[in-house]
Amino acid sequence: MTPEKTPHWGLAIDTERCIGCHACSVACKVENSVYLGMFRTKVYYHDFHGKNAAGKVTPKRAFLPALCMQCEDAPCLKACPTESISRGPDGIVRIDVDSCDRSRDCIAACPYGAIHIDPVAQVADKCDFCSHRLDAGMQPACVEACPADVFAFGDLNDPGSAVSRFNARHGKDLAVLKPQEGTRPAVHYRGIGTVVPRAVENKLPKGRNHDPFTYEIDTWAELRADYGTVVGNATAKPKGGK
């Protein structure tokens, strides 16, 4: 493929449409054989109080789909000691599993919790926009599975693509997560700071993959005891030793 015809893949996420159904993360796991407790894509919940249509303050819940941000200044790429991570001319940051040494430096460098170690293959793994599907002329699994049209994906070089049309329509309303990190994420969001409070982005784990215990991120501390990962009632033996 000649350089002028090489697509530049882009993604925009409309949080105003997200219903928190997790179809994207489930489709991602199935398509990419992501193991239990690991995530390439995850939807975060965030409970807060805000004004409703009538102007009254009420409890509200926001949803934030999170995945690899395909950063233009990717910290994982710079941190990898074996140069196993690269950013292609199509804009996708990929991991070369043949040279990955499992150093975990990439995981520690990522501000978005996007990278994990595959427990079977024992190499770093993350979202690559389902590159194998793109090669076959298909969309990423998350985009195809979403029932609410949350994801606008396509070639940024094509003004008629879904992502180009979305950006043209909502450009002034788009934002990136954790801009203070200086990574220049290529994934843009509509609704950050309005539908989804900025506070939720700080709950994205830095230096480790997404927490496997629950989607209810505001109750992780309590639920860890129930999963037996810390000292708590769930780890205590029942009376009678049974």
Side-chain angles (χ1 to χ4, degrees), residues 61-131:
R61 170 168 286 181
F63 306 110
L64 181 71
L67 66 170
C68 174
M69 298 294 140
Q70 312 296 346
C71 303
E72 293 184 23
D73 189 11
C76 61
L77 189 157
K78 294 186 289 186
C80 179
T82 57
E83 299 183 348
S84 299
I85 302 178
S86 62
R87 190 171 189 270
D90 60 0
I92 301 177
V93 178
R94 296 182 176 88
I95 298 173
D96 181 356
V97 297
D98 293 327
S99 59
C100 175
D101 70 346
R102 308 184 304 279
S103 68
R104 297 178 181 267
D105 292 309
C106 57
I107 297 176
C110 179
Y112 304 101
I115 309 175
H116 67 274
I117 297 294
D118 185 296
V120 175
Q122 285 297 300
V123 292
D125 185 44
K126 70 171 191 68
C127 167
D128 61 358
F129 283 162
C130 288
S131 291

Side-chain angles (χ1 to χ4, degrees), residues 17-70:
R17 300 187 65 89
C18 185
I19 58 176
C21 70
H22 308 295
C24 56
S25 53
V26 172
C28 175
K29 278 181 170 289
V30 172
E31 181 68 32
N32 297 287
S33 300
V34 180
Y35 285 85
L36 185 66
M38 308 294 175
F39 296 90
R40 277 184 166 205
T41 301
K42 186 170 183 178
V43 179
Y44 282 83
Y45 290 10
H46 180 66
D47 294 329
F48 64 105
H49 283 79
K51 291 184 178 180
N52 60 18
K56 294 184 178 180
V57 176
T58 60
K60 303 182 76 174
R61 170 168 286 181
F63 306 110
L64 181 71
L67 66 170
C68 174
M69 298 294 140
Q70 312 296 346

Side-chain angles (χ1 to χ4, degrees), residues 10-13 152-156 159 161-174 186-190:
L11 177 67
I13 297 175
F153 180 82
D155 182 2
L156 291 169
S161 70
V163 66
S164 293
R165 287 185 283 109
F166 184 89
N167 290 345
R169 186 164 62 252
H170 302 293
K172 63 182 179 61
D173 299 322
L174 300 182
V187 176
H188 293 80
Y189 288 80
R190 179 188 181 214

Side-chain angles (χ1 to χ4, degrees), residues 44-47 178 198-206 208 210 217-218 220:
Y44 282 83
Y45 290 10
H46 180 66
D47 294 329
K178 297 187 177 182
R198 274 286 180 184
V200 71
E201 66 186 349
N202 297 322
K203 296 179 179 180
L204 291 172
K206 182 175 181 177
R208 59 181 176 83
H210 305 294
I217 56 179
D218 294 319
W220 278 353

